[in-house]
Amino acid sequence: MKDLVAKRYVKALTTGRSKDEITTISNKLNQIASAFSSEKFNAIITSAEVSISKKIELVVSLADNVDNTLKNFISLLGEKRRFELLPFVAKELTTEIAKMNNTYVGVVYTNEELSSDFVSSIEQQFSKKFDVKLSLSQNVGDYDGIKVDIDGLGVEISFSKDRLRAQLIDHILKAV
């Protein structure tokens, strides 16, 4: 639900602005959004004892050289008591900039480290397939197979040993 509301705010922030202006706003919002990982900051923002104007002042002070557009945006969020949307707006704005630049970031999930040549080969193939600039990073964990997740494009491709095994057993049982 918060993502949908954040998309509306992002649309308002991007309408009629250049890429440079949007990128500047995004960078400052990402600085502000990083503060939401702190419990103390969240306690201050959600506190009923702290006035809205002090909260707005605090949030604005988290970024350097905040222009009037961003100050007005933060004031609006404060007045509507929607500060918790700032991280979602920052994420959506970053995604929107990626769409504008046709540049995307993805993650390759595996259970063992892949060579950088193999990862760059995957990058090139997907870049060619989707006609975008793509940068992939690795996440080595307990995923039994390989999964490529490109969030901005909404693409997720996976190959799982367990799923292959289940499909093979199902196919054999149907044949019998």
Side-chain angles (χ1 to χ4, degrees):
M1 182 70 176
K2 291 180 181 179
D3 289 340
L4 297 174
V5 176
K7 285 182 183 183
R8 289 187 177 186
Y9 282 121
V10 167
K11 186 176 181 183
L13 282 172
T14 57
T15 302
R17 290 191 172 73
S18 69
K19 281 186 189 178
D20 293 336
E21 291 173 320
I22 295 169
T23 303
T24 303
I25 290 171
S26 176
N27 292 338
K28 292 178 183 185
L29 277 178
N30 284 327
Q31 286 177 347
I32 294 168
S34 65
F36 280 85
S37 61
S38 167
E39 288 182 34
K40 286 183 181 180
F41 179 77
N42 285 326
I44 292 170
I45 291 298
T46 58
S47 173
E49 297 172 7
V50 180
S51 70
I52 296 293
S53 61
K54 292 291 183 185
K55 291 177 186 178
I56 292 170
E57 210 175 289
L58 173 65
V59 172
V60 169
S61 72
L62 294 173
D64 303 326
N65 301 325
V66 176
D67 61 347
N68 284 335
T69 303
L70 197 53
K71 281 182 186 176
N72 292 338
F73 176 68
I74 292 169
S75 296
L76 176 71
L77 289 179
E79 290 168 9
K80 302 293 183 185
R81 301 181 195 280
R82 291 186 165 182
F83 279 128
E84 74 278 357
L85 290 176
L86 273 169
F88 295 98
V89 172
K91 182 182 176 200
E92 287 295 327
L93 195 54
T94 303
T95 303
E96 190 65 30
I97 290 171
K99 288 178 185 175
M100 289 177 181
N101 294 332
N102 207 23
T103 304
Y104 296 91
V105 176
V107 181
V108 178
Y109 298 95
T110 60
N111 60 354
E112 59 187 52
E113 185 85 20
L114 300 174
S115 71
S116 60
D117 292 339
F118 186 71
V119 174
S120 65
S121 170
I122 294 172
E123 275 180 17
Q124 290 172 355
Q125 294 297 320
F126 280 114
S127 293
K128 205 180 298 179
K129 172 78 174 165
F130 296 112
D131 193 28
V132 297
K133 295 177 210 154
L134 180 63
S135 174
L136 291 176
S137 63
Q138 286 191 57
N139 184 344
V140 179
D142 59 351
Y143 188 77
D144 194 24
I146 186 168
K147 178 169 93 171
V148 179
D149 186 15
I150 307 168
D151 192 34
L153 284 175
V155 174
E156 181 180 308
I157 300 168
S158 64
F159 177 81
S160 170
K161 291 178 185 176
D162 292 335
R163 196 169 105 210
L164 177 66
R165 193 174 298 129
Q167 287 176 341
L168 188 61
I169 290 170
D170 189 44
H171 182 69
I172 291 170
L173 290 174
K174 285 181 181 178
V176 174

